[in-house]
Amino acid sequence: MMETPDALNFAEYLFAANRGRAGKVAYVDDRGTLSYGDLEDRSRRFAAALLALGIRREERVLLLMLDCNEWPVAFLGALYAGIVPVAVNTLLTVADYAYMLAHSRAQAAIVSASLEPSLRKAMAEAPNEVGAVIVAAAAAALSGASDAGAPSLDLAALVAQTKPLAAPAPTRGDDPAFWLYSSGSTGRPKGTVHTHANAWWTAELYGKGVLALTDRDVCFSAAKLYFAYGLGNALTFPLSVGASVVLMAERPTPDAVFKRWTGSASAGAGDGLDLRPTVFFGAPTGFAGMLASPSLPARDAVALRMCSSAGEALPSEIGQRFERHFGCAIVDGIGSTEMLHVFLSNRPGDIRYGTTGKPVAGYEIELRGEDGRPVADGEVGDLFIKGPSAALMYWGDREKSRETFQGGWTRSGDKYVRDADGYYTYSGRSDDMLKVSGIWVSPFEVEATLMQHPAVLECAVIGTEDGEGLTKSKAFVVVKPGAAVSDAELKAFVKEKLAAYKYPRAIEFLDELPKTATGKIQRFRLRERERGGPAS
């Protein structure tokens, strides 16, 4: 396998790769475009500004920003200076931000103007070391000094008045580059530390090796930049090949996505260029919602050549319907915050809907049983990954680091089964598997079957206990607008397609399912609902 450069500053790597494209559009957001030349210039100016503020190499800065052209400037500027950006979800609570500020010991915060009030409240609630708050696209909304102590600085003015940093920090591939916080659904979010080389590896192995992105592509990701999936989709992968990227600050509703697909959202910002996405990155719930939307564009209104899906396993029915409508395949894969991006995936030209495909070149996959030994084909096992993009650790959490990062292997927390042809099929999270009548049942298998019914928009299956303490499966179903179906009809539908013991013993219809900001269904919320706890 190839080797990462020993001396590697990932920001400088991207800048150097695109110096022949200075005038090309790198990013387009709701307000305008950013060329590759301006991206490097502004990022290097921002790097110098951070150092001038007294922030030192390897210290952290919180990055709390909506997706916009300033996001990559801030992120890459920090990397160029050897400073570590901590990219965080814009939909979290003040308590979450207070924890992250204290946990990361961030020396500064870079924030979108609309999010500054939440940040200020978080700074007031927890001890922190924030010396400056740098506000993006908000010259008229700066709050100045506050009760929380740190003055507000305008990012654009800071960049304009600072000379570009002459040279990048002399980082190595294994040096910490950035943090991402993993899901906090089972406790406090974990600060996942990634290196400069990790980003390089994912671009080489997946962006180029599987998706085969080129400088002719226009990429658009529903997953935001602060997620591992979105960071690869909208920064690491496209910039490594000189592609253009469409950014969207608002929520990825079907109508918002369609506006970008058809080019109507960026028509005024693109100077007459066709900036309709050729590659779209989404999640299964998003694809299902779009297919059910009355605003679904016609095939000839879009320029899509390929779509990517991750976050949850893609039901085969969704992939097939999407491809029939648009003539564009969805490449389904699985990745994680800990591995930074996708390590197991279908491939263009080799797509088997209903499976997650095969290991990405450069990664090893092992399915292990309860005894820790590899299982045979056809048997469900816990998914372990070995590959070059694994995170260094969870910051300040040795116990959970040891549970997840085991030697060269990373424990995913997912269960999979491999068939005789080498394709892997998702069976659920390790803590989601159900033992019904003494036999293991995969909730996802039941969900995927329910999704084949023409009235079902989305669903989730969990285990519940009956009056005798026995586990029974229960499905929560959202039907398509205008559709109607009974629980008896859905039970019979599943019985026709799966072994009889796998059908859901109870079905409850909901208007919507609880989800994370990335669109993942929060099954633990449904379990809390069944136990009488909080449902949201």
mmCIF file of all heavy atoms in Angstrom, residues 380-404:
data_model
loop_
_atom_site.group_PDB
_atom_site.id
_atom_site.type_symbol
_atom_site.label_atom_id
_atom_site.label_comp_id
_atom_site.label_asym_id
_atom_site.label_seq_id
_atom_site.Cartn_x
_atom_site.Cartn_y
_atom_site.Cartn_z
ATOM 1 N N VAL A 380 -23.746 -13.718 12.044
ATOM 2 C CA VAL A 380 -23.646 -12.332 12.479
ATOM 3 C C VAL A 380 -22.469 -12.172 13.433
ATOM 4 O O VAL A 380 -22.256 -12.992 14.329
ATOM 5 C CB VAL A 380 -24.950 -11.880 13.161
ATOM 6 C CG1 VAL A 380 -24.805 -10.463 13.721
ATOM 7 C CG2 VAL A 380 -26.105 -11.935 12.176
ATOM 8 N N GLY A 381 -21.703 -11.106 13.245
ATOM 9 C CA GLY A 381 -20.562 -10.838 14.118
ATOM 10 C C GLY A 381 -20.372 -9.353 14.348
ATOM 11 O O GLY A 381 -20.923 -8.513 13.616
ATOM 12 N N ASP A 382 -19.599 -9.018 15.369
ATOM 13 C CA ASP A 382 -19.255 -7.626 15.657
ATOM 14 C C ASP A 382 -18.200 -7.158 14.664
ATOM 15 O O ASP A 382 -17.210 -7.847 14.418
ATOM 16 C CB ASP A 382 -18.727 -7.490 17.080
ATOM 17 C CG ASP A 382 -19.813 -7.704 18.119
ATOM 18 O OD1 ASP A 382 -20.829 -7.002 18.050
ATOM 19 O OD2 ASP A 382 -19.646 -8.579 18.993
ATOM 20 N N LEU A 383 -18.403 -5.952 14.120
ATOM 21 C CA LEU A 383 -17.534 -5.428 13.071
ATOM 22 C C LEU A 383 -16.313 -4.735 13.661
ATOM 23 O O LEU A 383 -16.433 -3.786 14.437
ATOM 24 C CB LEU A 383 -18.328 -4.445 12.207
ATOM 25 C CG LEU A 383 -17.575 -3.755 11.069
ATOM 26 C CD1 LEU A 383 -17.217 -4.759 9.977
ATOM 27 C CD2 LEU A 383 -18.416 -2.629 10.484
ATOM 28 N N PHE A 384 -15.116 -5.201 13.264
ATOM 29 C CA PHE A 384 -13.847 -4.576 13.622
ATOM 30 C C PHE A 384 -13.150 -4.141 12.339
ATOM 31 O O PHE A 384 -13.232 -4.814 11.313
ATOM 32 C CB PHE A 384 -12.955 -5.553 14.386
ATOM 33 C CG PHE A 384 -13.353 -5.753 15.823
ATOM 34 C CD1 PHE A 384 -14.462 -6.528 16.148
ATOM 35 C CD2 PHE A 384 -12.625 -5.175 16.855
ATOM 36 C CE1 PHE A 384 -14.833 -6.716 17.474
ATOM 37 C CE2 PHE A 384 -12.989 -5.348 18.181
ATOM 38 C CZ PHE A 384 -14.097 -6.124 18.495
ATOM 39 N N ILE A 385 -12.462 -2.999 12.406
ATOM 40 C CA ILE A 385 -11.791 -2.429 11.238
ATOM 41 C C ILE A 385 -10.325 -2.172 11.554
ATOM 42 O O ILE A 385 -9.990 -1.703 12.640
ATOM 43 C CB ILE A 385 -12.416 -1.083 10.814
ATOM 44 C CG1 ILE A 385 -13.929 -1.156 10.822
ATOM 45 C CG2 ILE A 385 -11.881 -0.642 9.459
ATOM 46 C CD1 ILE A 385 -14.570 -0.485 12.007
ATOM 47 N N LYS A 386 -9.464 -2.462 10.602
ATOM 48 C CA LYS A 386 -8.059 -2.074 10.686
ATOM 49 C C LYS A 386 -7.751 -1.223 9.459
ATOM 50 O O LYS A 386 -7.984 -1.647 8.325
ATOM 51 C CB LYS A 386 -7.139 -3.289 10.719
ATOM 52 C CG LYS A 386 -5.659 -2.925 10.816
ATOM 53 C CD LYS A 386 -4.757 -4.154 10.678
ATOM 54 C CE LYS A 386 -4.807 -5.023 11.914
ATOM 55 N NZ LYS A 386 -3.838 -6.162 11.830
ATOM 56 N N GLY A 387 -7.239 -0.007 9.688
ATOM 57 C CA GLY A 387 -6.944 0.856 8.561
ATOM 58 C C GLY A 387 -6.177 2.084 8.988
ATOM 59 O O GLY A 387 -6.114 2.416 10.180
ATOM 60 N N PRO A 388 -5.595 2.812 8.026
ATOM 61 C CA PRO A 388 -4.662 3.898 8.351
ATOM 62 C C PRO A 388 -5.317 5.188 8.821
ATOM 63 O O PRO A 388 -4.610 6.103 9.245
ATOM 64 C CB PRO A 388 -3.932 4.127 7.025
ATOM 65 C CG PRO A 388 -4.936 3.737 5.978
ATOM 66 C CD PRO A 388 -5.690 2.577 6.574
ATOM 67 N N SER A 389 -6.661 5.307 8.756
ATOM 68 C CA SER A 389 -7.313 6.569 9.125
ATOM 69 C C SER A 389 -7.918 6.548 10.525
ATOM 70 O O SER A 389 -8.653 7.462 10.892
ATOM 71 C CB SER A 389 -8.402 6.918 8.102
ATOM 72 O OG SER A 389 -9.431 5.942 8.114
ATOM 73 N N ALA A 390 -7.599 5.522 11.325
ATOM 74 C CA ALA A 390 -8.148 5.445 12.674
ATOM 75 C C ALA A 390 -7.670 6.609 13.539
ATOM 76 O O ALA A 390 -6.514 7.042 13.447
ATOM 77 C CB ALA A 390 -7.754 4.120 13.333
ATOM 78 N N ALA A 391 -8.555 7.107 14.376
ATOM 79 C CA ALA A 391 -8.211 8.210 15.266
ATOM 80 C C ALA A 391 -7.126 7.797 16.250
ATOM 81 O O ALA A 391 -6.928 6.602 16.536
ATOM 82 C CB ALA A 391 -9.454 8.678 16.026
ATOM 83 N N LEU A 392 -6.446 8.798 16.796
ATOM 84 C CA LEU A 392 -5.415 8.514 17.804
ATOM 85 C C LEU A 392 -6.031 8.020 19.098
ATOM 86 O O LEU A 392 -5.509 7.101 19.744
ATOM 87 C CB LEU A 392 -4.611 9.787 18.093
ATOM 88 C CG LEU A 392 -3.661 10.284 17.007
ATOM 89 C CD1 LEU A 392 -3.056 11.623 17.427
ATOM 90 C CD2 LEU A 392 -2.559 9.267 16.739
ATOM 91 N N MET A 393 -7.169 8.634 19.506
ATOM 92 C CA MET A 393 -7.747 8.355 20.822
ATOM 93 C C MET A 393 -8.985 9.202 21.006
ATOM 94 O O MET A 393 -9.294 10.069 20.186
ATOM 95 C CB MET A 393 -6.751 8.720 21.925
ATOM 96 C CG MET A 393 -6.390 10.194 21.911
ATOM 97 S SD MET A 393 -5.242 10.679 23.207
ATOM 98 C CE MET A 393 -4.511 12.158 22.477
ATOM 99 N N TYR A 394 -9.694 8.924 22.106
ATOM 100 C CA TYR A 394 -10.662 9.861 22.651
ATOM 101 C C TYR A 394 -9.920 10.699 23.689
ATOM 102 O O TYR A 394 -9.341 10.162 24.632
ATOM 103 C CB TYR A 394 -11.819 9.140 23.334
ATOM 104 C CG TYR A 394 -12.658 8.263 22.444
ATOM 105 C CD1 TYR A 394 -12.977 6.959 22.828
ATOM 106 C CD2 TYR A 394 -13.166 8.738 21.239
ATOM 107 C CE1 TYR A 394 -13.769 6.152 22.044
ATOM 108 C CE2 TYR A 394 -13.951 7.930 20.439
ATOM 109 C CZ TYR A 394 -14.261 6.632 20.849
ATOM 110 O OH TYR A 394 -15.044 5.834 20.058
ATOM 111 N N TRP A 395 -9.935 12.003 23.524
ATOM 112 C CA TRP A 395 -9.178 12.882 24.415
ATOM 113 C C TRP A 395 -9.640 12.732 25.870
ATOM 114 O O TRP A 395 -10.824 12.834 26.177
ATOM 115 C CB TRP A 395 -9.330 14.324 23.965
ATOM 116 C CG TRP A 395 -8.550 15.304 24.790
ATOM 117 C CD1 TRP A 395 -9.002 16.003 25.870
ATOM 118 C CD2 TRP A 395 -7.185 15.667 24.610
ATOM 119 N NE1 TRP A 395 -8.004 16.796 26.367
ATOM 120 C CE2 TRP A 395 -6.867 16.611 25.605
ATOM 121 C CE3 TRP A 395 -6.196 15.297 23.697
ATOM 122 C CZ2 TRP A 395 -5.602 17.188 25.719
ATOM 123 C CZ3 TRP A 395 -4.949 15.877 23.805
ATOM 124 C CH2 TRP A 395 -4.658 16.803 24.802
ATOM 125 N N GLY A 396 -8.682 12.464 26.735
ATOM 126 C CA GLY A 396 -8.966 12.418 28.160
ATOM 127 C C GLY A 396 -9.866 11.282 28.593
ATOM 128 O O GLY A 396 -10.500 11.371 29.648
ATOM 129 N N ASP A 397 -9.939 10.204 27.828
ATOM 130 C CA ASP A 397 -10.811 9.075 28.189
ATOM 131 C C ASP A 397 -10.111 7.769 27.830
ATOM 132 O O ASP A 397 -10.366 7.156 26.799
ATOM 133 C CB ASP A 397 -12.148 9.178 27.466
ATOM 134 C CG ASP A 397 -13.235 8.313 28.102
ATOM 135 O OD1 ASP A 397 -12.878 7.291 28.724
ATOM 136 O OD2 ASP A 397 -14.420 8.669 27.988
ATOM 137 N N ARG A 398 -9.205 7.357 28.718
ATOM 138 C CA ARG A 398 -8.415 6.160 28.438
ATOM 139 C C ARG A 398 -9.280 4.906 28.377
ATOM 140 O O ARG A 398 -9.085 4.035 27.521
ATOM 141 C CB ARG A 398 -7.333 5.993 29.508
ATOM 142 C CG ARG A 398 -6.509 4.719 29.313
ATOM 143 C CD ARG A 398 -5.391 4.608 30.324
ATOM 144 N NE ARG A 398 -4.346 5.582 30.063
ATOM 145 C CZ ARG A 398 -3.170 5.572 30.693
ATOM 146 N NH1 ARG A 398 -2.916 4.657 31.611
ATOM 147 N NH2 ARG A 398 -2.259 6.474 30.408
ATOM 148 N N GLU A 399 -10.280 4.809 29.271
ATOM 149 C CA GLU A 399 -11.099 3.602 29.307
ATOM 150 C C GLU A 399 -11.840 3.382 27.998
ATOM 151 O O GLU A 399 -11.786 2.296 27.412
ATOM 152 C CB GLU A 399 -12.090 3.683 30.466
ATOM 153 C CG GLU A 399 -12.983 2.445 30.583
ATOM 154 C CD GLU A 399 -13.967 2.544 31.728
ATOM 155 O OE1 GLU A 399 -13.908 3.526 32.497
ATOM 156 O OE2 GLU A 399 -14.820 1.638 31.855
ATOM 157 N N LYS A 400 -12.525 4.413 27.511
ATOM 158 C CA LYS A 400 -13.267 4.256 26.258
ATOM 159 C C LYS A 400 -12.319 4.141 25.068
ATOM 160 O O LYS A 400 -12.638 3.462 24.084
ATOM 161 C CB LYS A 400 -14.249 5.408 26.076
ATOM 162 C CG LYS A 400 -15.424 5.349 27.051
ATOM 163 C CD LYS A 400 -16.537 6.268 26.629
ATOM 164 C CE LYS A 400 -17.732 6.159 27.600
ATOM 165 N NZ LYS A 400 -18.340 4.816 27.528
ATOM 166 N N SER A 401 -11.158 4.769 25.134
ATOM 167 C CA SER A 401 -10.168 4.612 24.067
ATOM 168 C C SER A 401 -9.741 3.151 23.959
ATOM 169 O O SER A 401 -9.640 2.595 22.854
ATOM 170 C CB SER A 401 -8.947 5.501 24.329
ATOM 171 O OG SER A 401 -9.269 6.870 24.221
ATOM 172 N N ARG A 402 -9.509 2.520 25.093
ATOM 173 C CA ARG A 402 -9.089 1.116 25.072
ATOM 174 C C ARG A 402 -10.201 0.196 24.597
ATOM 175 O O ARG A 402 -9.948 -0.818 23.939
ATOM 176 C CB ARG A 402 -8.626 0.705 26.477
ATOM 177 C CG ARG A 402 -7.257 1.249 26.844
ATOM 178 C CD ARG A 402 -6.876 0.883 28.265
ATOM 179 N NE ARG A 402 -5.470 1.168 28.535
ATOM 180 C CZ ARG A 402 -4.909 1.024 29.717
ATOM 181 N NH1 ARG A 402 -5.636 0.633 30.774
ATOM 182 N NH2 ARG A 402 -3.612 1.284 29.884
ATOM 183 N N GLU A 403 -11.465 0.533 24.927
ATOM 184 C CA GLU A 403 -12.584 -0.281 24.470
ATOM 185 C C GLU A 403 -12.721 -0.231 22.950
ATOM 186 O O GLU A 403 -13.057 -1.234 22.319
ATOM 187 C CB GLU A 403 -13.889 0.226 25.095
ATOM 188 C CG GLU A 403 -14.045 -0.070 26.573
ATOM 189 C CD GLU A 403 -15.337 0.533 27.119
ATOM 190 O OE1 GLU A 403 -16.136 1.061 26.311
ATOM 191 O OE2 GLU A 403 -15.538 0.482 28.345
ATOM 192 N N THR A 404 -12.441 0.926 22.359
ATOM 193 C CA THR A 404 -12.670 1.118 20.924
ATOM 194 C C THR A 404 -11.431 0.833 20.088
ATOM 195 O O THR A 404 -11.509 0.147 19.062
ATOM 196 C CB THR A 404 -13.152 2.561 20.659
ATOM 197 O OG1 THR A 404 -14.370 2.776 21.363
ATOM 198 C CG2 THR A 404 -13.366 2.801 19.179
#
